[in-house]
Amino acid sequence: MQFDQDRIATEKMLSELVSMYSVTGSEDKIGNYIFDLLQSFGVDTVIRQKVSEQRFNVVARVKGTKPGPKILLTGHMDTVPAGDGWETDPFTAVRKGDKLYGRGSLDMKGGIAAVLSTVKCAIEHKNELPGELIIAFVPDEEAYSAGIKTLIKNDISADFGIAAEPEYNKSIIGSVGKMLIRVDIRGIAAHGCEPDKGINAIEEGSRFLAALDQIPLLSHPNISSQPYVTLKIEGGFKEYSIVVPEHCSFIVNKHTVPSETKEYVLNEMEKLVKQLGLKAKFTFSVEEPYYPAYDIGMDISYLKKISAIYEEIVRKPLQFGYGTGVSDTNLLVPLTNIPTISLGPCGGGLHSSNEWVSIESVHEMDRIYRTFIFGN
């Protein structure tokens, strides 16, 4: 199917999206904007799916007239804070040639604009649309993924998904996971001049931390082994006191590979305590945010299809790869079994100053998404 893109309308949406303040926790304005747009396009249904007070997902559906798959197009509405060092107002879209500057332009309002333009096209050509299109925009991806968790709890399902994240040259089909492990150590207090009568929680914890690299790191054919990283440690008494500290705690960050489950990591930590012969009581717990690792693999027919479309439009082969960071897809894929890739526009300044998105790449993604959902 051949169709013309309304480039002016897409760029107008992009500029308006980038100019909206939507730092994590303040997504209601952009959510209402997207809701109103989808409603004006004429989607079959669109709802504000409550996440928390004043925070919601925007979920819409478009049912085609022909048989076909159920395709999910998704993305997050929130951005990280602006920070310092900007040459333009971070919350005003500023165009310089092909670059559109502003916080969230790349991550990921360029992707949202491409999806919205695709949805508008799907409705205009609904009599030729196969299957069903599900659109889901969520808040809180840059923090605790509350939006995608709510979407999952409401039984989202699809045959294939595309997250419009800024992955342009390499579509992400798997990624490391992330665990934040809190370790609480309980010793026995004693006078500082008689340390042998107590159990020093700080010293016990120090021995444990020094031996963390003894835990075997599991590997994956396409993702390198991920180390343990200590982020924070606390212990002892707040006021000066000559007492053997009876409590110590620390936070350990562990990125994981797909075979490295939560249970495996915690079990290995408990084994290390026993191997070291530590006398204090160690308690391990996983704190939020927690993201499992995932890998959808290459044996999915949709990957071949989207690869061919990408090469025809972008004029170069699409690479498939694995992420070194986490996103909502780390929850969406393992908890719903929807095979989902990340593929979106390109740009620069991700999570830093002078963030920008290539306007032409937004149009390219619009064409790729359109061609994919119409099955040609």
Side-chain angles (χ1 to χ4, degrees), residues 35 46-52 55-59 61 136-139 146-156:
F35 179 92
V46 58
I47 62 169
R48 294 179 179 89
Q49 187 179 76
K50 185 175 179 179
V51 174
S52 61
R55 302 179 83 186
F56 53 87
N57 296 331
V58 179
V59 184
R61 294 175 183 267
F137 294 115
V138 301
I148 202 71
K149 290 175 182 175
T150 299
L151 187 72
I152 293 167
K153 287 178 182 177
N154 282 270
D155 299 321
I156 189 74

Side-chain angles (χ1 to χ4, degrees), residues 1 4 20 23 116 139 167 251 282 314 376:
M1 170 184 179
D4 296 325
M20 282 180 198
V23 171
L116 289 172
E167 302 290 351
I251 301 293
F282 282 70
V314 181
N376 293 339

Side-chain angles (χ1 to χ4, degrees), residues 84-99:
D84 299 325
W86 285 78
E87 297 174 6
T88 62
D89 179 353
F91 299 111
T92 299
V94 176
R95 182 168 183 170
K96 297 181 180 181
D98 180 52
K99 297 179 179 180

Side-chain angles (χ1 to χ4, degrees), residues 33-278:
Y33 171 86
I34 292 171
F35 179 92
D36 291 342
L37 262 184
L38 289 169
Q39 199 169 52
S40 71
F41 291 165
V43 293
D44 294 339
T45 63
V46 58
I47 62 169
R48 294 179 179 89
Q49 187 179 76
K50 185 175 179 179
V51 174
S52 61
E53 202 63 38
Q54 294 189 322
R55 302 179 83 186
F56 53 87
N57 296 331
V58 179
V59 184
R61 294 175 183 267
V62 180
K63 182 76 173 177
T65 58
K66 298 181 178 181
K70 190 183 292 186
I71 302 298
L72 171 67
L73 298 178
T74 186
H76 63 88
M77 301 181 288
D78 61 320
T79 74
V80 295
D84 299 325
W86 285 78
E87 297 174 6
T88 62
D89 179 353
F91 299 111
T92 299
V94 176
R95 182 168 183 170
K96 297 181 180 181
D98 180 52
K99 297 179 179 180
L100 189 81
Y101 288 86
R103 173 53 82 224
S105 55
L106 179 62
D107 187 18
M108 54 171 292
K109 295 178 181 182
I112 292 175
V115 169
L116 289 172
S117 185
T118 294
V119 173
K120 186 172 184 291
C121 175
I123 294 165
E124 291 169 349
H125 299 272
K126 194 175 178 181
N127 62 327
E128 300 173 57
L129 179 67
E132 184 178 6
L133 193 59
I134 305 168
I135 307 98
F137 294 115
V138 301
D140 201 50
E141 192 269 354
E142 300 290 5
Y144 295 96
S145 292
I148 202 71
K149 290 175 182 175
T150 299
L151 187 72
I152 293 167
K153 287 178 182 177
N154 282 270
D155 299 321
I156 189 74
S157 66
D159 297 300
F160 186 71
I162 300 174
E165 290 277 4
E167 302 290 351
Y168 180 80
N169 295 311
K170 181 176 68 175
S171 176
I172 299 300
I173 61 171
S175 177
V176 299
K178 174 185 174 67
M179 291 178 64
L180 274 180
I181 307 150
R182 179 181 176 87
V183 184
D184 286 293
I185 306 156
R186 180 63 62 183
I188 297 176
H191 196 290
C193 67
E194 297 179 307
D196 55 312
K197 292 184 178 180
I199 298 177
N200 191 315
I202 292 177
E203 292 177 1
E204 292 279 278
S206 298
R207 294 187 184 101
F208 177 84
L209 288 178
L212 265 180
D213 59 2
Q214 295 179 22
I215 296 178
L217 299 177
L218 300 187
S219 60
H220 180 274
N222 299 297
I223 304 175
S224 61
S225 298
Q226 302 292 310
Y228 291 82
V229 180
T230 306
L231 302 182
K232 182 179 181 181
I233 185 167
E234 295 178 324
F237 294 88
K238 291 183 179 180
E239 301 296 332
Y240 170 70
S241 182
I242 308 176
V243 178
V244 171
E246 61 184 350
H247 181 258
C248 176
S249 66
F250 40 84
I251 301 293
V252 176
N253 186 79
K254 177 69 173 79
H255 279 173
T256 59
V257 301
S259 57
E260 220 163 18
T261 64
K262 181 193 303 186
E263 293 74 19
Y264 172 83
V265 170
L266 296 181
N267 184 58
E268 288 298 312
M269 285 185 149
E270 289 169 355
K271 282 169 59 177
L272 182 60
V273 172
K274 294 178 182 178
Q275 290 168 4
L276 295 173
L278 298 175

Side-chain angles (χ1 to χ4, degrees), residues 22-32 55 77-78 139-140:
S22 60
V23 171
T24 304
S26 303
E27 304 96 341
D28 56 325
K29 183 178 180 180
I30 192 172
N32 286 320
R55 302 179 83 186
M77 301 181 288
D78 61 320
D140 201 50

